[in-house]
Amino acid sequence: MKRLWASRFQKPRRDLDAWQASYPVDRRLWREEVEATRAYARALHEAGVLSDAEFQALAEALHRLADQESPAGDFEDVHTAVEAVLAEVVGPVAAKVATGRSRNEDVVTIEKLYIRRAGGDLLGGIRSLQASLVRQAERHVETVVPGYTHLRQAQPMTWGFYLMSWFFALERDRDRFWTALRRMDACPYGSGALTGTTVPIDRAALARRLGFGGPTDNALDAVSDRDFILDFLYACLTVGIHLSRMAEDWILFSGDEFGWLVLDETLTTSSSLLPHKRNPDVLELVRGLAGRWLGALVGLSMTLKGLPWGYSKDLQWDKTYLLETSEDLRQALTVMRQVVDGTTVRADVARARLQTWTLTVELVDFLVARGVPFRTAQQAVAQFVAHAEAVGRPPESFTPAELAEWLPVVDESIRQVWDPAVAVRRRSLPGGTSPDAVRQQIEKAWRILQERDGIPDVGSRVLES
Ligand code: ARG
């Protein structure tokens, strides 16, 4: 195996040699390693460590390597691979490219570069899902469906209102990514193995060239820090938890007992035995992923807890958590966007499923509007509900005269409480489910999507090396 440290002793056992290597995992950071090494080479050139010709040769070679796939090979890790391949391309000068640089600082630098790129992709993925939600919401500001608490029918709501609730939840998720990206916005290069470097590189210039706000403040902290990965994993997890709840609702509402959502059949699978099945497998996979993402966050936290400050090889496990989580989340976001785009609402079924009991709170409002104290009104209606249930009659079948036996004030206009469209329209304060309130939310959502795009602060800086 190719490694960078064959100087002090011969080598470990052959089987251990392969086992302790990380290239099978961290080769996915090839592009970041090449990009970072190129910037580092320029810093070395400016510090007088590399001649013009040496730098030219290295920079050109690295430029070409950036577009290549990570090569197959028996390398200990991606840092080794880039240096080894560089040596094949430019010869002995490659041996100078890591002057004064430790893998301990290198690994965190490229992980941060990866998180910035992946974070940008994920922000884009969330944004597309949000846009799909808003587009669907626009079509369903008037569509009435049952709303639930305790998974029992609670009140009618509009489907547009429901969809917009996910828009705002996902907006907080975007915010969590921004926070995570901003907090990790410092470049570790120049930290050496733990105490800083003796090579007189311009750390601030190097940091800027790699798109960071500046260099890290303390070398030991820089090489020990993995909380930037915890931040990122937590941001991923929160989206994941949201997607899992969303997936669960879609599974329920499109299921036989609810039935008012219809999933595009290209997003379902069938059964190896039961010909009629149309299973929501993709949604179930998304629902299941949140558990893995929580596992990643807990797994890395456990690795870090009690770990001696400074680099230890335990930290090598961080990349599995980081890479798997961000790649799975990207897929899940695409799937959920396809689901949202490919769902049709059967308003007739939703209306038929909606129970009139969900409108008995309108009776309470009716009484309160006519001066009955709220608690008195609520108790009177509760007694009426108990009676209606006991005699087995739906509440809307009671005439105003019959209602008057239970309620302190009744007039003819009481009949309109049984219209769910009216109930929905009455929730018209900002944030409510009425068509107008939802239109306001939609307007705000488009504004947000327009104003907050990309990765503010961090993404606006241009990468050049
Ligand atoms: N492959 C290692 C990792 O992923 C790189 C850092 C190695 N540093 C060391 N001192 N062994 O963590």
Side-chain angles (χ1 to χ4, degrees):
M1 170 173 297
K2 273 211 169 30
R3 63 174 75 82
L4 296 170
W5 50 269
S7 52
R8 181 142 177 217
F9 52 86
Q10 286 309 302
K11 55 177 155 163
R13 286 173 53 125
R14 245 181 101 72
D15 49 354
L16 283 188
D17 205 19
W19 187 72
Q20 62 89 36
S22 58
Y23 191 58
V25 174
D26 65 20
R27 59 187 297 181
R28 280 179 274 179
L29 300 174
W30 170 265
R31 193 164 120 197
E32 282 75 16
E33 177 65 21
V34 170
E35 198 174 86
T37 301
R38 190 144 173 264
Y40 192 77
R42 185 192 279 236
L44 290 176
H45 175 231
E46 283 162 6
V49 176
L50 296 175
S51 69
D52 290 349
E54 287 172 331
F55 172 61
Q56 278 310 323
L58 286 168
E60 269 162 36
L62 284 161
H63 184 65
R64 265 179 283 132
L65 291 183
D67 296 329
Q68 288 175 20
E69 292 289 303
S70 64
D74 199 14
F75 305 110
E76 186 178 60
D77 53 26
V78 69
H79 322 284
T80 312
V82 169
E83 214 174 300
V85 172
L86 201 53
E88 280 166 27
V89 181
V90 293
V93 67
K96 288 191 179 181
V97 81
T99 305
R101 189 181 73 173
S102 160
R103 283 180 298 167
N104 298 355
E105 58 179 321
D106 199 19
V107 70
V108 271
T109 304
I110 66 170
E111 283 175 331
K112 286 182 173 186
L113 293 180
Y114 173 84
I115 287 179
R116 196 169 54 204
R117 180 158 63 89
D121 288 349
L122 291 174
L123 279 165
I126 299 173
R127 195 176 183 283
S128 306
L129 173 56
Q130 285 177 302
S132 289
L133 286 163
V134 184
R135 274 195 297 273
Q136 290 297 324
E138 280 174 334
R139 302 164 61 179
H140 292 291
V141 281
E142 311 262 3
T143 311
V144 174
V145 301
Y148 296 85
T149 63
H150 310 269
L151 199 52
R152 304 284 188 271
Q153 288 200 12
Q155 285 185 294
M157 63 178 177
T158 56
W159 182 242
F161 169 75
Y162 174 86
L163 293 170
M164 289 310 294
S165 69
W166 284 116
F167 171 91
F168 290 104
L170 290 167
E171 189 54 26
R172 289 194 301 281
D173 289 334
R174 285 209 298 162
D175 206 61
R176 261 180 285 272
F177 276 105
W178 273 311
T179 307
L181 291 172
R182 268 192 215 110
R183 196 178 290 131
M184 60 148 225
D185 190 25
C187 181
Y189 268 164
S191 298
L194 73 164
T195 57
T197 182
T198 54
V199 183
I201 55 173
D202 182 342
R203 288 196 66 212
L206 176 52
R208 267 199 311 282
R209 207 168 288 136
L210 283 170
F212 290 99
T216 48
D217 291 311
N218 177 290
L220 179 56
D221 175 41
V223 297
S224 312
D225 173 20
R226 292 296 182 282
D227 44 61
F228 67 94
I229 301 182
L230 292 182
D231 283 344
F232 180 75
L233 291 178
Y234 177 66
C236 292
L237 173 62
T238 324
V239 187
I241 290 171
H242 282 149
L243 296 189
S244 78
R245 294 181 75 175
M246 229 174 128
E248 170 65 3
D249 276 7
W250 251 259
I251 291 167
L252 282 174
F253 299 162
S254 63
D256 303 321
E257 280 70 21
F258 292 75
W260 35 270
L261 287 190
V262 182
L263 293 173
D264 190 306
E265 67 183 26
T266 59
L267 298 167
T268 59
T269 55
S270 198
S271 157
S272 57
L273 176 61
L274 312 173
H276 69 288
K277 290 307 287 294
R278 206 197 244 221
N279 293 329
D281 287 34
V282 292
L283 286 163
E284 290 163 342
L285 287 170
V286 169
R287 185 176 61 187
L289 268 174
R292 286 173 62 97
W293 297 328
L294 174 60
L297 180 64
V298 174
L300 182 59
S301 303
M302 289 304 292
T303 301
L304 297 177
K305 181 195 165 296
L307 193 71
W309 200 228
Y311 180 84
S312 295
K313 186 87 162 188
D314 315 44
L315 293 171
Q316 183 164 282
W317 296 119
D318 63 356
K319 279 167 288 296
T320 317
Y321 296 126
L322 170 63
L323 297 169
E324 280 187 7
T325 300
S326 89
E327 284 167 19
D328 286 345
L329 179 55
R330 205 164 57 145
Q331 278 300 322
L333 284 164
T334 305
V335 168
M336 285 311 284
R337 184 176 47 70
Q338 289 164 346
V339 166
V340 169
D341 289 344
T343 299
T344 42
V345 185
R346 295 203 46 199
D348 54 334
V349 178
R351 182 67 190 84
R353 293 274 192 277
L354 183 71
Q355 298 170 11
T356 32
W357 301 106
T358 61
L359 296 160
T360 52
V361 69
E362 307 307 303
L363 284 179
V364 179
D365 278 7
F366 175 90
L367 296 176
V368 169
R370 285 156 184 79
V372 181
F374 170 74
R375 191 55 61 205
T376 313
Q378 205 265 347
Q379 277 161 3
V381 173
Q383 278 163 9
F384 161 67
V385 169
H387 167 73
E389 204 175 47
V391 298
R393 283 176 60 186
E396 74 280 16
S397 72
F398 284 73
T399 62
E402 286 175 308
L403 282 174
E405 284 175 41
W406 299 93
L407 310 179
V409 195
V410 171
D411 59 48
E412 271 302 311
S413 69
I414 202 160
R415 291 181 194 279
Q416 66 163 2
V417 300
W418 306 118
D419 183 350
V422 172
V424 154
R425 263 202 305 278
R426 294 181 60 236
R427 271 79 194 167
S428 57
L429 288 186
T433 193
S434 82
D436 281 345
V438 173
R439 280 190 198 98
Q440 276 173 23
Q441 293 164 39
I442 289 172
E443 216 171 282
K444 178 165 183 178
W446 285 128
R447 223 175 27 247
I448 290 173
L449 287 181
Q450 218 161 37
E451 281 163 13
R452 302 177 86 187
D453 193 10
I455 319 174
D457 301 353
V458 196
S460 56
R461 280 190 293 274
V462 188
L463 284 184
E464 42 109 0
S465 62

